[in-house]
Amino acid sequence: MNISVIGLDIAKSVFHLFAVNRAGKLVRKKMLKRHEVAAYFSRLEPCVVAMEACGSANYWARVLKAQGHDVKLIAPQYVKPFVKGNKNDYNDAEAIAEAAQRPRMRFVPIKSVEQQDVQMIHRQHDRLTKDRTALVNQIRGLLAEYGIIIKKSVAAVRNEMPRIFDDSESGLSVLAKETFNALYNELVEQDTKLKQCLQKIHALNKSLESCQRLQEVTGIGPLTATAVFAAAGNGHDFVNGRHFSAWL
């Protein structure tokens, strides 16, 4: 069986593949359960395996690449024009295989484990930052209902709340003070989590050569350097600096 390209529609439990030969003719359609995927591809001759760049795609790309296959990740918006008929898993797999055969198709670089590690910490940092901002806005809004106005910043809320608790003329009831104290403790806890997250980012930054090199550029610090590494790796997928700038 001469398989040239396989379009693989990945999911959480059930995967669908659409295999074609060099002429683009269908050779095989198959449904695989998650635990069957690695074993099935290990029995195939090396070929091009294309997938949409979506959740868990980087993991499967590394697994299949280790088995000798040439793995290609395609952005979903570039696959959509090739979907024929009603949308279903086999049609999606066929569209992926079709897109992968286009000579001018653009592919998404496969992320390494190190990149995913850094990206994970950055996403955690982003979520914690948004959660803290939401909490601070809620505290300010609730205090305003009691006639207490605090400036619009995390530092202002953090510094002013202890003073409000001690102010006997604040007009806050016992229940209100208990509630605001709980919100303040939540803010302190979020500050601690954010600090720990930043410590991890700084540690990763020191351990990665690409990040150290990026920081030689004026204005780039640990946060930006690690974020760029998580998204673009060591830069080998870019032809030159202009290509990288256009991507940004």
Side-chain angles (χ1 to χ4, degrees), residues 39-89:
Y40 178 82
F41 277 89
S42 69
R43 297 191 295 269
L44 295 179
E45 291 293 323
C47 62
V48 174
V49 181
M51 297 178 285
E52 282 190 338
C54 57
S56 76
N58 286 294
Y59 165 76
W60 286 111
R62 292 193 298 268
V63 170
L64 300 180
K65 193 173 182 180
Q67 295 178 347
H69 298 289
D70 182 11
V71 183
K72 305 288 187 183
L73 299 184
I74 308 174
Q77 64 265 30
Y78 293 147
V79 174
K80 189 175 180 180
F82 296 96
V83 177
K84 301 172 185 175
N86 295 326
K87 181 176 174 60
N88 60 53
D89 295 324

Side-chain angles (χ1 to χ4, degrees), residues 27-247:
V27 174
R28 174 176 291 184
K29 292 169 62 176
K30 190 172 180 64
M31 181 180 71
L32 296 167
K33 292 184 179 179
R34 183 183 180 87
H35 68 273
E36 300 173 330
V37 175
Y40 178 82
F41 277 89
S42 69
R43 297 191 295 269
L44 295 179
E45 291 293 323
C47 62
V48 174
V49 181
M51 297 178 285
E52 282 190 338
C54 57
S56 76
N58 286 294
Y59 165 76
W60 286 111
R62 292 193 298 268
V63 170
L64 300 180
K65 193 173 182 180
Q67 295 178 347
H69 298 289
D70 182 11
V71 183
K72 305 288 187 183
L73 299 184
I74 308 174
Q77 64 265 30
Y78 293 147
V79 174
K80 189 175 180 180
F82 296 96
V83 177
K84 301 172 185 175
N86 295 326
K87 181 176 174 60
N88 60 53
D89 295 324
Y90 280 123
N91 284 347
D92 288 347
E94 180 181 3
I96 294 169
E98 182 72 22
Q101 296 175 77
R102 299 303 92 195
R104 299 184 64 184
M105 179 54 61
R106 297 177 182 177
F107 299 105
V108 178
I110 300 169
K111 281 184 170 56
S112 65
V113 174
E114 289 78 13
Q115 282 178 270
Q116 284 193 227
D117 286 344
V118 177
Q119 185 181 62
M120 176 177 63
I121 300 301
H122 266 277
R123 286 179 175 174
Q124 183 187 18
H125 179 266
D126 290 344
R127 179 184 60 79
L128 288 170
T129 301
K130 290 176 182 177
D131 289 348
R132 187 178 67 175
T133 300
L135 176 61
V136 166
N137 288 339
Q138 183 183 52
I139 291 172
R140 292 181 65 251
L142 291 172
L143 283 171
E145 295 296 328
Y146 289 89
I148 301 172
I149 306 301
I150 297 181
K151 292 181 180 180
K152 191 177 181 179
S153 75
V154 176
V157 173
R158 188 189 298 117
N159 295 332
E160 288 294 318
M161 286 194 76
R163 181 186 63 77
I164 292 169
F165 297 147
D166 295 334
D167 187 358
S168 59
E169 298 181 0
S170 64
L172 294 176
S173 65
V174 174
L175 178 60
K177 284 188 176 182
E178 288 178 352
T179 302
F180 282 118
N181 186 57
L183 290 170
Y184 175 73
N185 289 335
E186 187 178 343
L187 176 60
V188 171
E189 183 180 353
Q190 288 190 346
D191 282 338
T192 300
K193 289 180 179 179
L194 265 170
K195 184 178 180 181
Q196 292 171 344
C197 203
L198 282 170
Q199 288 174 345
K200 290 180 182 178
I201 289 175
H202 280 269
L204 286 167
N205 174 67
K206 289 181 180 179
S207 68
L208 295 167
E209 181 187 353
S210 295
C211 293
Q212 295 299 307
R213 293 177 64 188
L214 279 167
Q215 286 185 93
E216 294 176 7
V217 179
T218 303
I220 293 183
L223 273 174
T224 303
T226 50
V228 171
F229 172 77
N234 57 18
H236 287 174
D237 295 298
F238 298 95
V239 177
N240 50 42
R242 289 178 62 84
H243 185 199
F244 177 70
S245 298
W247 174 80

